[in-house]
Amino acid sequence: MRPDIVWASLTGYGRTGPERERDGWDLVAQARGGLLDMTGFPDGPPVKTGNSAADYLAGMHLAVGVLAALRDRATSGAAQSVDVSLLEPVLACLDGFPLYSSIAGITPSRSGNFHPAAIPAYSVFPTADGHIAIGAAGASFTRLMTLLQRTDLDVGLMPSDEAARRAWFDEVVEVITSWTAGHPRAELHELLDGHDVPNEPVRTLAEVWSDPQLEARGMFLEYEYGDLGTIRTIGSPIHLSSSPREVRHVPPAAGEHNEEILRDVLGYGDAEVVVLHENGALWGALDD
């Protein structure tokens, strides 16, 4: 192996340790890393994330590791190997809960859409036409209680007794829920914004496609793709000042570049390419 090549590896459990040969899957990584047990409602089973969170976390950590190794090579002249597993990034992204567990010896329990720190206005609430997420804590919680004309429930008046504090929490949740349930999302969004209370209507993916902020940021890109016509896709969330986001190449069909890679890059001759096709080693038809 050339000593100046940065070599990257992404496996289920890492390249070392007694379980290095095990296959890795997103769901089982969420389970093994503790994320699954923390997600869901207290009276329900563990729930996986709506997306493949472990897969994305692992990929992003691998990319950062490669960039770090390249940066180190630029200064030291020596290359490193980068070893990332599907499992470990899950554990690394559990907020402050591992530290809390280490110090206090307490395992966090599932708290649904509420914050584990028992903040009653940091959750998802029903509306007349869907749901809205409200992230009110500290000063914004005070502004929310002022909007609801319930300053008697401000956090500064929260009881110190555990049972009384639980009753206060439940009352705050009931007050907010009763209010949001009687209004549509758009009206609540305007009212909460007017009082500087963090909030967003819970949108479907179909609604996200028309988000004006994302549109203004150039997050949606389009390209032409064969018989499918115009395809709308998601751009990179990373904005670089001198590198515009654009679709330079459309996704290739399976085997589309076989001959180009074999002949021009790897130096295979025509006869060798024909043999690979005849043996079924390549996907796609042989170009004339």
Side-chain angles (χ1 to χ4, degrees):
M1 179 183 293
R2 285 175 48 181
D4 61 335
I5 291 180
V6 171
W7 191 85
S9 168
L10 176 54
T11 59
Y13 292 84
R15 299 186 65 240
T16 59
E19 298 181 55
R20 60 185 178 275
E21 298 297 331
R22 294 189 65 186
D23 290 339
W25 296 84
D26 176 87
L27 178 61
V28 296
Q30 290 190 37
R32 181 86 176 253
L35 179 60
L36 203 66
D37 184 62
M38 294 170 53
T39 308
F41 289 86
D43 56 351
V47 177
K48 76 175 188 67
T49 60
N51 70 334
S52 302
D55 288 345
Y56 285 102
L57 287 170
M60 288 189 290
H61 278 77
L62 183 68
V64 172
V66 169
L67 292 174
L70 290 172
R71 178 69 180 119
D72 179 70
R73 186 183 68 178
T75 57
S76 70
Q80 301 187 52
S81 63
V82 182
D83 177 10
V84 173
S85 74
L86 195 66
L87 169 63
E88 291 158 344
V90 172
L91 182 61
C93 292
L94 295 185
D95 293 342
F97 298 117
L99 183 60
Y100 177 63
S101 175
S102 174
I103 295 173
I106 298 175
T107 299
S109 59
R110 291 188 288 280
S111 55
N113 287 316
F114 287 99
H115 194 281
I119 304 173
Y122 197 96
S123 187
V124 176
F125 298 92
T127 72
D129 59 350
H131 292 82
I132 191 167
I134 299 177
S140 60
F141 180 82
T142 298
R143 292 192 292 271
L144 176 60
M145 292 299 100
T146 299
L147 171 62
L148 298 181
Q149 299 181 352
R150 290 302 305 267
T151 54
D152 59 302
L153 292 175
D154 197 3
V155 69
L157 304 174
M158 181 177 63
S160 57
D161 176 73
E162 180 64 30
R165 187 163 60 249
R166 183 71 251 180
W168 168 84
F169 181 97
D170 292 341
E171 184 175 2
V172 171
V173 171
E174 175 59 29
V175 167
I176 299 173
T177 301
S178 298
W179 176 64
T180 60
H183 301 273
R185 293 180 304 167
E187 182 181 335
L188 290 166
H189 184 50
E190 184 176 354
L191 287 169
L192 291 165
D193 273 1
H195 285 75
D196 196 19
V197 176
N199 77 98
E200 284 293 350
V202 177
R203 293 189 174 100
T204 64
L205 184 55
E207 292 173 310
V208 171
W209 279 117
S210 59
D211 188 294
Q213 174 66 12
L214 295 174
E215 191 79 63
R217 295 274 290 169
M219 194 62 187
F220 306 131
L221 303 175
E222 294 184 351
Y223 61 91
E224 298 297 319
Y225 192 76
D227 295 337
L228 295 178
T230 302
I231 300 294
R232 203 167 192 229
T233 189
I234 304 299
S236 171
I238 300 172
H239 297 253
L240 299 175
S241 59
S242 299
S243 301
R245 292 178 298 173
E246 58 185 349
V247 178
R248 291 179 292 177
H249 304 284
V250 301
E256 180 178 338
H257 299 121
N258 281 350
E259 276 68 56
E260 178 183 345
I261 294 172
L262 290 170
R263 291 190 174 100
D264 301 341
V265 178
L266 300 179
Y268 279 54
D270 291 343
E272 294 173 297
V273 174
V274 169
V275 170
L276 289 174
H277 274 283
E278 291 176 345
N279 291 339
L282 300 178
W283 183 289
L286 179 64
D287 292 344
D288 294 332

